[in-house]
Amino acid sequence: WEHTGGDDLQSSIEENAVSVVAFVPPAKILAWINRVQRPVISDVVAESLGDFKKADETVIIAYLDEGDETLRAAFFEVAGKYREEFTFGLVTDAGAIEAEKITGPTVRCVKPLDEDSRDLHGFTDVESLEKFVKENSRPLIGELLPHNHRRFLERGWPMVYVFAATESERSEIRTTLKETARSYYESLTMVTVDPLEFPDLPGKLGLESSAFPSGAVHQLSADKIYPYPKGRGLTPNELLSWGLDVWQERVKPWTPPGVTTSYDNLGGRLKATRSVSIKKIPGYEPPIDHALATGQRTMSLYHEAADILSASGGNLKTRIFGRKDLKAPPQQIYALALETCKWSSVLKEVIEASELMRHERKLSPLLALLLVHDFLLSKRGVALPATHGLRTSIERHKARLNAEFTRARIRRKAGSMEALRQQVTTEHQGEAARYPRWVRVNTLKTTLEDQLASTFKDFTRVYSIGEVTDASSGKLLHVDEHIPNLLAVSPSFEFAKTEAYSSGAVILQDKASCFPAYLLDPLPEDGDVIDSCAAPGNKTTHLAALVHSRTAESEQCAQRIYAFEKDKHRALTLEKMVKLAGAKDIIRISFAQDFLKVDPNAQFFKDVGALLLDPSCSGSGIVGRDAMPTIHLPELPSSNSNKSQYQKSRKRKRGDDARAESTQEVFVDDDGTETVVATEKELKVRLEALSSFQLKLLLHALEFPAATKVTYSTCSVHAEENEQVVLRALQSEVGRRRGWRILKRDEQVRGLREWPVRGTVDASNGDTEVADACIRSYKDDGRGVMGFFVAGFVRDAPEAIDDDGPFLRDENGRIIRDASGMPTLKAARVSDPSRASATSSFPVEGPDGDEEMTENLESEDLTTSGDESSPDEKDEDEWNGFD
Ligand SMILES: C[S@@+](CC[C@H](N)C(=O)[O-])C[C@H]1O[C@@H](n2cnc3c(N)ncnc32)[C@H](O)[C@@H]1O
């Protein structure tokens, strides 16, 4: 409970009364109010000294000479720090000092309830005074509270915990054990604990979480826990005799589950050995500063998450990560908000059935959902201090909430928590759950047969996509009929845990996203290949697998794939993917390189025969990119007349319901960030900008002199980005000059020729041949793929018009063979020694900037001829070479 004192005090008490009263005994509140209303240090004279000593549970009095300014200042400093916990007084009256038989500067700590007082003589500085206050203000048996827990632990002496359910029981125990505690005051820390205040603590000490009173000793220095035997009386004698057994190691310490403790039997005595980690100490909290910082940040967590969920516009990510004023960590807000949405249909039922909101009128429906989510489903519970009003407003209904949660699970016929979790995940996946997981078997590392016999050995093979997505069964698999080495697998299968996934043997890639590389069909005679917009690298590694599969086993792959990526961060992802896929030898990455700045006529690219262009687009075909997940809000318990203060004051002008704004168009950029486009006009402008950028890239690709194949693709469903770009490219100057034409359907690789979904005639301005050549896919059409578009361009290069076939021939027309008799491919031009000699060694800065990498590059300028910058200048836009 934070307060600002003064005038705010009254309103602060009123506002927090409900939550505070339930957990802090009224006497404590009153004591606190009295304390903060006193001056930081009260001037005490002989007549008032007797009463002053009983003014509070702990009273700290300094007996100082009138003129002792230094000690007075030190006392003032410490008093200022602890004034809300203890009452401080100053006696300078010589008569009163004499009557107390005090000689020299002294600070006395008086605890009237314990009939105890302790002195610090001749104190010198703030530090020693503070230490004295902290140690001696401790009652004989303290009440463990979140704010003093750490202080008790810091002493390092064995902690004796006694749990009792009510304050009167705890008070009785304190009285009974007071004298025992006094005897061991210096070497033990004894505390009574309200189990509601520390619900996890009994379990951590090996005690039952619902049988009280109970107790345990935790030897902090050795990290040994000794639960007090169940049923043994909590009398001083019983406790002392058991304590002696513990001390003399006749009792075996309790071992928390999952921890192995070895015991040496030392002739009736047990010596236990276990490694101690401070983090394992029950109740350990991080150092105060850190705790404060984290506490302050998480205090805002629930309110900020509720604000974000009730805001309008944008999706969850943009709403959170677009805001700069958040106090709680954005990742934490995101996880909380998303998980709460996911569980909201179950939580709504729990909240309504437990009537939580009828009892806790300060809670809005959203706050109730968020808090109950953490209470029931987060391992750490509600992320607020134990006495925080919001936390107590949930925890005091613990029993009902738990019971209703179990009922909700049973109503859903989920036999276990795991089963319920699975159900909720599937429900939440919504659109995505209707799609299979597409898995491309990476033939650079493995084969389809090997994977079917290993990773997928427990799977049942089915023969349609519909069967795969049938949610009732978990391990179904379908071998795709269009794309080689592609599988469709049940959506719930967790790939992240498989060895095949982490080793790069399989790659998760939507079927439609496999179309471009397969359509490009890079053959050895096509020479080198360019992937112009490559990150994260799904299509680049697919190209590498295809190139590799066409290289004879006895030969080294002579073809190279040059991958360009403008964004340096995404280029690093690309690099990781290339490494993981085992494609490093085939792919050369040019980091942070704008493809538009690469000169097609550079000598280095003279053998580039095929290009794949998959530029940034609107992302309108991506599956599972709804603007906002649906959230089910609990109904308020009754009519308007019962509206709480909270609801009246908030007015909910934007509405608490954070339902998806499904009518809006959402653009997804390359990082997955989504932007909502609200009006038709905005959409048009955005599409125009995108398509002119896409066309520019495509026309640049058509310029490469040896190129005879280009594929153009987007994950958009908008004609403006698709057929319209294709038509403009065909009609363009470079398109005509270089003789580019569309790759007709009947010229396409078998799988894509047979793929039934084609471009639309309307979008192709009535050109049926172009429409049929264009390959499309739509989400939601039952084929289980994302929305996508791809088209191929081809041209008959003059040098390709020979009927020699793909092999080099001598002047007599005979195929040239190597020493092993294998024919020499024309495409093996890259490995041509004459080419190698025409290159020079060229140091290039790598992605980390700390490593010199050498690559044989042509010594000529590789940037576009129109570009002013020289390759030697370290310009951002400059050609950076390949890794
Ligand atoms: C749609 S993503 C490519 C996805 C990739 N083909 C795959 O399958 O994994 C488009 C990428 O092109 C990059 N890009 C955009 N304009 C570029 C340019 N002018 N030169 C190079 N890369 C560019 C973006 O940074 C982005 O990473």
Side-chain angles (χ1 to χ4, degrees), residues 432-587:
R434 300 196 305 274
Y435 290 78
R437 278 288 181 117
W438 290 102
V439 184
R440 177 164 65 77
V441 174
N442 178 14
T443 52
L444 289 165
K445 289 211 154 173
T446 183
T447 62
L448 179 63
E449 292 67 33
D450 282 352
Q451 285 307 309
L452 291 175
S454 54
T455 311
F456 303 104
K457 71 173 184 314
D458 301 332
F459 281 64
T460 309
R461 195 151 166 191
V462 293
Y463 294 89
S464 75
I465 291 299
E467 285 171 88
V468 175
T469 45
D470 178 0
S472 59
S473 18
K475 285 189 167 182
L476 299 174
L477 162 157
H478 170 66
V479 179
D480 190 62
E481 60 272 37
H482 296 105
I483 306 289
N485 301 307
L486 187 72
L487 302 172
V489 174
S490 303
S492 56
F493 185 67
E494 297 265 355
F495 267 98
K497 292 181 190 149
T498 63
E499 205 273 327
Y501 175 75
S502 40
S503 67
V506 300
I507 289 168
L508 300 185
Q509 184 173 357
D510 192 281
K511 173 172 176 173
S513 154
C514 299
F515 289 173
Y518 182 46
L519 182 69
L520 190 65
D521 190 27
L523 300 171
E525 56 268 38
D526 292 326
D528 296 337
V529 182
I530 279 181
D531 184 351
S532 52
C533 296
N538 284 317
K539 298 177 187 79
T540 330
T541 51
H542 190 194
L543 281 173
L546 292 171
V547 161
H548 173 80
S549 69
R550 278 132 187 193
T551 308
E553 253 178 53
S554 59
E555 274 183 34
Q556 247 206 325
C557 180
Q559 280 172 287
R560 286 286 163 268
I561 297 168
Y562 297 114
F564 298 96
E565 174 50 54
K566 191 164 82 168
D567 181 298
K568 58 175 177 260
H569 300 291
R570 291 173 62 81
L572 291 175
T573 312
L574 169 67
E575 189 198 29
K576 274 191 206 141
M577 179 147 189
V578 167
K579 270 189 197 152
L580 184 68
K584 256 188 97 193
D585 292 343
I586 305 175
I587 298 167

Side-chain angles (χ1 to χ4, degrees), residues 128 168 347 869:
S128 53
S168 62
L347 297 175
S869 61

Side-chain angles (χ1 to χ4, degrees), residues 156-171:
W157 291 105
M159 291 285 294
V160 181
Y161 295 95
V162 183
F163 293 86
T166 64
E167 169 52 27
S168 62
E169 275 178 283
R170 291 194 295 277
S171 158

